[in-house]
Amino acid sequence: MSQASSPAPRPTVALFVTCLVDLFRPSVGFATAQLLEQAGYSVDVPEAQTCCGQPAYNSGDRAHAKQIAKQVIATFREYAHVVVPSGSCAGTITAHYPDLLRDEPDWAQAARDLADRTWELTRFLVEVAQVDLPTVDHKTTTTYHDSCSGLRELGIRSQPRQLLGRVNGLQLREMADTDVCCGFGGTFCVKYPDISERLVSNKVDNIAATGADMVVAGDLGCLFNIAGRLHRLEKPVRAYHVAEILAGTARSEPAIGEGDRS
Amino acid sequence: MESRAHLFKPAAREALHNPDLQQALTRVQAGFVGKRRTLVNKFPDFEGLRDRGQAMKDHTLAHLDYYLEQFEAKVHEAGGHVHWAETAEDAQRIVADICRQADARMVTKGKTMAGEEVGINEALDAAGLETVETDLGEYIIQLAKEPPSHIIAPAIHKTRQQICDLFDEHHHQGTFKEKLREVPDLVNEARGILRGKFLNADVGITGANCLVAETGSMFLVTNEGNGDLTHSLPRVHVAIAGIEKLVPTLDDASTLIRLLARSATGQEMTAYTTMVTGPRRGDDTDGPEEFHIVLLDHGRTNMMSGRFREMLRCIRCGACMNHCPVYASIGGHAYGWVYPGPMGSVLTPIFVGLDKTKDLPNACTLNGRCQSVCPVRIPLPDLLRDLREAQFDQHLTPGTTRHGLAVWAWFARRPRVYNALSRLGIGLLGRLGRRRGRFRRLPLAGAWTAGRDFPAPQRTTFQAAWRQHLSRRQTHE
Amino acid sequence: MSDARTRILGKVRAAMGRETTPTPADVQAARAGALGKGTPQRPVWEESDLARFCRCIDDAAGTWVTVPTLAEAGTAVADYLAEREAGTTVHRAPDPRLDHVAWPGHLAVERATDGRKALAAVSCAVAGVAETGSLALVSGPDNPATLAFLPDYHIVVLGTADVVPWFEDLWARMREQEGFPPRSFNFITGPSRTADVEQTLQLGAHGPRSLHVILVENMP
Ligand code: SF4
């Protein structure tokens, strides 16, 4: 073939932005959308989305969790792919909706169907999109925090590291106990604040021990917890969502918990 | 054993601020996690082995009546006695009766979690017997009058200094012996004292790591050799085991032991793995004259029908607690009953009652590390979530949480209202926190801000910003 | 028939939705379905079974020596005791195979019916398992079980031909033997140990402080 093949037109991707990104860090949503567009997809953000229902589900409130799950399933019914910039929320949809709705066969089927179409962002980029994204430069020493749901429910470990490996100037330094929880745990962090504080302190110690100037993760829950503790202890480590680094928007955006001097 | 699980929160707080305990707990990680990982990586197909362990236990549980009957017949064939205990009281009475009939004065005990569960020591005390724990860890906590804090390392919460003090108080009274300092000396002193007990005991009580239906045997896995001295030297050997300990064949027992040794202590095989079948044979020159096995229900049959049957696969290896960050922070005692950590947070509410153990299913981040190491793949986080659901259904969840969830769910199901309101709230919070980027204190967020700053939100919600972005894009095009 | 027994089994059956115990044929079929026919997952090694066995003994802090015939085991015992300064008295198991051992004159050899008086003891294993470096000892008048637990020094004689690769091989062999299972079938892998004080490994908790294996190349 002599002609350069233009990439096949790609389907529209729905962005499930998650409640935390929606409320607290829209820049992650924009970075995600940018990455998806750069990968050749057009991006839809259905307005009817709010939350995946995990707070109810993990609190034992099955009835409400089911209602919300059904709403999410209905909202994203039409899309070939649903991409989520969070291992935790993607995990709720893929690993838990089918079980949550197991008593209602039609809904359980629809839940399995949605589960098959739902992807955590980094995994989607590596395993589905499979394109070389534009190069970005970011000179930094970074350590990566694996969120528990991403790691254990979705098998996300190599994907973000592979993507970060392509950022010019970014040097990755692994911390000890990468597979140990940061202590966020959704409502856990406010129900058992002193235990949670111990866990996040351990995490912050491990982060600091790497000497990295930045910590990156794929889940805003963990990042808020970690950044909150880093700031309280006045440690000079900046926290970003992996999407912001990959999209190259981190350099123009204050890190999580940092003031806006502009 | 009396449950103190309702005191979880204060106990956990105390544990977090106990420097001796914190020092001792650092060793859990170093002692168990790394050793297990090395062996698991060395094993050609450990995931396959876990699958087999799970399938084997599931099959056994699904045919437990068959295997229990087969086991019982084989024990009888070997000249042993089988006792069935439905409750803790049954088990206590059975064991006390056996001791009485044997005219026992002194009883040696190997570590048995089933025995802890039904309070065997209390029953033996009440019957006026001298009971000596022989596992070094159990012996230490018996001296300290404390319950175990870990299912395979019962004294893991004790520092060497504390053990030196204990031994000094209990062993050196009225002597001129100097206080010991080093581990070898401590172990040696306990060895000497316990040797006398082994040789003079009338009854030896042990647990069992599994029961084999094929032969009517029990397996006992130890590193110290105390289990073997406990069952071989006295006139009577009594073993206590939950009915879920059955495995069909000797080959299955090998599968289980391969999983157990690696998952528990990070060994390929413990120093002593012993298969005991019945009492001393006709021409044997040592070994007990009587062998009794107490098959314990104590609520296990209630777990047979629902999802909690999965918990009956548990082989009591302790890997889940070794890998639990909450356990690593607070130790085992805060959980308030016999079984700590993830497996305890599932079992204690079932055995003791959901209303008396409200914290246990909730004091977990559901991070799933326990499940990822459980040799029989028990979905511990799912079971904890099921317990939360049971709490919610029985109105044991606090009112504030229930109402909070109801209000939040109301909004979450009404995206328009939700989006409008969140835009307002976030806009305000964003403006307030913009300069500094975070809050040291926030109304209603005291639990968060006690130890962490609260990162301020950006200018507005994503939904609002995205709509703006779209309309801007349209005008440009 | 105790009531507790009836009730416990009844509850198990009720949970499984049946009224009677399944038949052996049904259980066998279910087992085959659940576990399949393949061999279980287990360790593998490249060296010979004997080499693996010896390496595992090393890993478990045991020691071993090879001798050509049983007669020479006597000198091996004497050497071992001398090296450890463990005296010159040894309690041997009554196992008739040990009658072939040529005991050096300076050793006081006593036949032991249990381990109560022994500081150093010699017993015979029926097999070794290469998978883990475990010695398999059958209790009975020939090899009293307490002989393996009460002494400080435990010496075990084993024929190299009796090293089997995996536990499943051992079970297959033992099922054929009369008198199996014995009261106590002991798998011994290294000396006694504990880590109950601060997770620090210490040998010689309650059982032998050291374990020595004499591998006999031509075991009668
Ligand atoms: S739940 Fe699993 S990991 Fe925990 S003790 Fe039981 S078998 Fe071991």
Side-chain angles (χ1 to χ4, degrees), chain A residues 137-191:
Chain A
D137 301 296
H138 199 141
K139 202 170 157 352
T140 164
T141 311
T142 292
T143 188
Y144 190 82
H145 165 70
D146 294 293
S147 89
C148 296
S149 336
L151 180 67
R152 281 182 274 266
E153 290 180 348
L154 306 173
I156 291 163
R157 215 195 110 74
S158 63
Q159 301 87 335
R161 289 174 172 80
Q162 188 184 324
L163 294 169
L164 287 171
R166 302 173 34 89
V167 173
N168 281 332
L170 186 145
Q171 194 201 345
L172 201 61
R173 250 188 235 164
E174 296 292 344
M175 67 177 104
D177 295 337
T178 43
D179 65 332
V180 178
C181 178
C182 72
F184 174 63
T187 53
F188 172 86
C189 68
V190 286
K191 279 191 195 150

Side-chain angles (χ1 to χ4, degrees), chain C residues 100-126:
Chain C
H100 298 279
V101 176
W103 302 101
H106 72 280
L107 278 190
V109 182
E110 296 189 23
R111 289 171 83 90
T113 51
D114 64 39
R116 286 176 192 253
K117 296 206 188 69
L119 179 72
V122 181
S123 25
C124 273
V126 289

